[in-house]
């Protein structure tokens, strides 16, 4: 079992920055950040495998950085130049599953563990 707890969300104006954190109870092969806006499907933002390889979805590529502090068992998502369309619930996820190419999965359904999420609201 893996417990995940996100923090760091909040309200920010367009162009601003936020740093999300996710405290986890044990290491896994992959950790990721997903987001879900009202009326939209949950989508991947970024993932990080246990070798340090990061993958970014097109939606926020170039504006986010995923990183991890293994000693503190905390995953981070640094978000810059936020846009109104980035408003969503951001959820941390973890899994020991790798896809057929030994990469972190991109689908939420392939992550076994998920947190409650932290709300990010970007205003114009």
């Amino acid at each position: 079992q893996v417990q995940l707890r996100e923090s760091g969300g909040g309200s920010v104006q367009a162009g601003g920055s936020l740093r999300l954190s996710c405290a986890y109870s044990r290491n896994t092969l992959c950790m990721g950040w997903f987001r879900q806006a009202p009326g939209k499907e949950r989508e991947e933002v970024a993932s990080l495998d246990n070798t340090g390889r990061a993958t970014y979805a097109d939606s926020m590529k170039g504006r986010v950085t995923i990183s991890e502090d293994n000693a503190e068992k905390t995953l981070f998502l640094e978000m810059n130049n936020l846009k109104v369309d980035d408003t969503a619930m951001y959820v941390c996820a973890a899994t020991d599953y790798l896809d057929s190419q030994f990469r972190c999965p991109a689908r939420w359904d392939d992550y076994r563990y998920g947190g409650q999420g932290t709300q990010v609201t970007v205003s114009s």
Side-chain angles (χ1 to χ4, degrees):
Q1 190 73 355
V2 179
Q3 282 76 47
L4 304 166
R5 186 174 71 250
E6 302 94 336
S7 61
S11 297
V12 64
Q13 287 193 323
S17 300
L18 281 175
R19 188 193 198 200
L20 306 183
S21 300
C22 173
Y24 55 88
S25 59
R26 71 163 176 87
N27 291 309
T28 55
L29 290 182
C30 290
M31 295 203 70
W33 285 99
F34 287 77
R35 68 180 185 178
Q36 187 167 19
K40 295 186 178 180
E41 293 188 357
R42 188 167 295 183
E43 63 175 0
E44 181 196 33
V45 176
S47 64
L48 186 69
D49 70 16
N50 64 340
T51 69
R53 179 173 55 184
T55 303
Y56 297 97
D58 289 341
S59 59
M60 297 191 78
K61 188 178 291 184
R63 300 187 293 121
V64 295
T65 302
I66 189 170
S67 62
E68 185 176 26
D69 184 331
N70 284 308
E72 296 295 325
K73 288 187 170 56
T74 304
L75 181 75
F76 301 102
L77 185 71
E78 186 79 35
M79 306 188 294
N80 299 305
N81 191 22
L82 285 164
K83 303 176 181 180
V84 173
D85 286 347
D86 295 323
T87 295
M89 181 69 74
Y90 286 73
V91 185
C92 173
T95 185
D96 285 315
Y97 168 79
L98 296 175
D99 68 13
S100 61
Q101 298 191 17
F102 304 101
R103 298 175 306 187
C104 290
R107 300 189 317 147
W108 170 258
D109 289 346
D110 290 327
Y111 281 80
R112 183 171 181 180
Y113 308 102
Q116 295 298 309
T118 185
Q119 178 68 35
V120 171
T121 301
V122 184
S123 59
S124 58

